Amino acid sequence: MKILVIGPSWVGDMVMSQSLYITLKKQHPEAEIDVLAPAWCKPILERMPEVSNPIEMPIGHGALNVLGRRAIGKKLAKTDYTHAFVLPNSAKSALIPWFAGIPNRTGWKGEFRYGLLTDLRADKTVFQYMVERYVALAFSPAEMRQNVSLAQCPVPQLEVDHIKLKLAAERLGLSLSKPVVGLCPGAEFGPAKRWPDRHYSEVAKYLIEQGNHIWLFGSKKDQEVTSKIKSALSPEKQQSCFDLAGQTSLIEAVDLLAACHTVVSNDSGLMHVSAAVGCNIVAIYGSSSPRYTPPLTKSLEVVHSDIECRPCFKRECPLAHLKCLNELVPSHVINAIKRFN
C-alpha cells in the first residue's frame, strides 16, 4: 500500500491523527504513509515514525482554489498512491485525491462528497471521540464497530529529540536542576477556553513554593497572558518562572514540554502535544468538553465547573460572564496536581 492522508489543520487534531497512522502500520507494516498538511505541521509529522513523508499543502485553510488543488492532484498522481484517507470533513479536502486518481478514497460523509470518495462512511456519530473516528477509517465499514473504541485506539507518541531539547534549554537560559511544571494558558479557539491569568498565577505561586520551576508556553498571541501571569508573582518567585511564549518554535515546544513532569493546560493543541510526549496532564475545560477530544493519556486529571450552561462550545461566552472559567477556583487545579505526587 502507498497511502496519502489529507491531514487536519489544527495542532491537537494532527497529534490525534497519529493513532490512525499507527493502526495502518500495524495492519500493513510495509505501507508508505505520506501526509498532506499545512507547512507548520511538518515538524510534528517528522516526529511520527509511521509517516514516510510530510507534504506541504500550499493552499491556505479555508481557500477553495479548485485549479490549485487540481494542479496538486495531477502532480501527486505520478506517485501512484493506492489509498487516500481524507480526515477533514469539507468537500474541498477530498478534491486532491480525486484529481490524483487514487483508486481507494476513504472518509466520513461531510459536505457534499459523493463521487469524490469511493468509501464514504455514513454516520460518524456512532463514535463519540475524534480519535475513534480517525482510527475507524483503517477498518472496513463492517469491521469498524467491533474494532474501534477509545480504549482500543493506540495513543499518539511523538518522538523527543533530547539533543535539541538541551540546545533549546541552553538558548533560553532554562535550568533542569529543579522539577519543571509547564503552564499552557492560551487557546487559539477563543476566550471561552482560557482560564483566567490570575488563576494561573495562583497555581504558579503554589508550585514555585513547592520547589518547582514554571515554564509558560504559548505563541506570540499568548504573550500578553503569559506576561500577566509572571508579573503577578513576587520578584523572588519570578526568578523561578520562565516566559517562553513566542520564544520557541513549535518543535522546540514539543521537546521542552517533554522535560515537564506535569503540564497544566487549557483545551488546546499544546495539551495534546504534552500528552503525546508523556507528561502528566491537568486539563482545564471551559466552554468545551473532554467527551469529544480528550488528551490521550492515562496520566490525566480533568477539571471543569458544573454550571448548567456548559459546555456551550462557543468561542466567546454567549452570556458574557465566563462563569465556567472564572468560578473554577485555583484550589481545584492545585488539588488535581497533587494527585500526581
Side-chain angles (χ1 to χ4, degrees), residues 183-187 191 193-206 214 216-217 221-233 241 243 264 266 284 322 325-330 333:
L183 303 185
C184 302
K193 278 190 175 184
R194 288 198 291 267
W195 199 44
D197 53 83
R198 65 183 185 277
H199 290 348
Y200 269 108
S201 294
E202 287 297 316
V203 172
K205 177 183 176 183
Y206 164 80
I214 299 298
L216 297 167
F217 291 90
K221 295 179 182 178
D222 302 314
Q223 286 177 331
E224 181 180 355
V225 172
T226 55
S227 177
K228 287 180 179 179
I229 293 170
K230 183 172 181 176
S231 63
L233 301 173
C241 183
D243 187 354
V264 181
N266 300 329
I284 302 172
L322 279 174
L325 293 166
N326 288 322
E327 296 183 0
L328 184 59
V329 296
V333 171

Side-chain angles (χ1 to χ4, degrees), residues 94-271:
L95 285 172
I96 289 175
W98 182 67
F99 282 130
I102 300 172
N104 302 287
R105 306 184 299 274
T106 301
W108 290 102
K109 180 181 177 182
E111 294 178 352
F112 186 81
R113 310 211 287 189
Y114 295 100
L116 296 178
L117 298 177
T118 61
D119 178 8
L120 185 65
R121 307 295 173 91
D123 185 12
K124 64 185 178 184
T125 62
V126 298
F127 297 106
Q128 176 177 325
Y129 297 99
M130 173 75 83
V131 68
E132 293 175 330
R133 297 173 186 181
Y134 286 163
V135 172
L137 297 178
F139 296 90
S140 71
E143 295 174 328
M144 63 184 186
R145 291 292 293 273
Q146 62 265 33
N147 285 286
V148 179
S149 67
L150 186 63
Q152 292 171 299
C153 291
V155 299
Q157 291 183 304
L158 298 178
E159 294 181 328
V160 176
D161 189 324
H162 292 280
I163 294 176
K164 290 184 178 180
L165 191 167
K166 182 180 179 181
L167 290 173
E170 290 175 352
R171 179 178 69 81
L172 295 162
L174 303 173
S175 170
L176 297 173
S177 61
K178 289 186 177 182
V180 180
V181 176
L183 303 185
C184 302
E188 186 73 18
F189 181 77
K193 278 190 175 184
R194 288 198 291 267
W195 199 44
D197 53 83
R198 65 183 185 277
H199 290 348
Y200 269 108
S201 294
E202 287 297 316
V203 172
K205 177 183 176 183
Y206 164 80
L207 289 167
I208 292 168
E209 289 172 349
Q210 300 303 306
N212 298 281
H213 277 173
I214 299 298
W215 293 355
L216 297 167
F217 291 90
S219 68
K220 288 185 178 180
K221 295 179 182 178
D222 302 314
Q223 286 177 331
E224 181 180 355
V225 172
T226 55
S227 177
K228 287 180 179 179
I229 293 170
K230 183 172 181 176
S231 63
L233 301 173
S234 68
E236 180 184 1
K237 288 186 171 60
Q238 288 185 28
Q239 300 302 309
S240 296
C241 183
F242 301 84
D243 187 354
L244 309 181
Q247 306 302 311
T248 70
S249 65
L250 177 57
I251 206 60
E252 284 179 322
V254 171
D255 291 330
L256 291 168
L257 283 165
C260 302
H261 66 79
T262 300
V263 170
V264 181
S265 178
N266 300 329
D267 179 13
S268 68
L270 290 181
M271 174 186 74

Side-chain angles (χ1 to χ4, degrees), residues 78-98:
K78 301 174 184 178
T79 312
D80 296 324
Y81 290 108
T82 60
H83 293 74
F85 293 89
V86 182
L87 302 191
N89 292 320
S90 63
K92 60 182 177 289
S93 63
L95 285 172
I96 289 175
W98 182 67

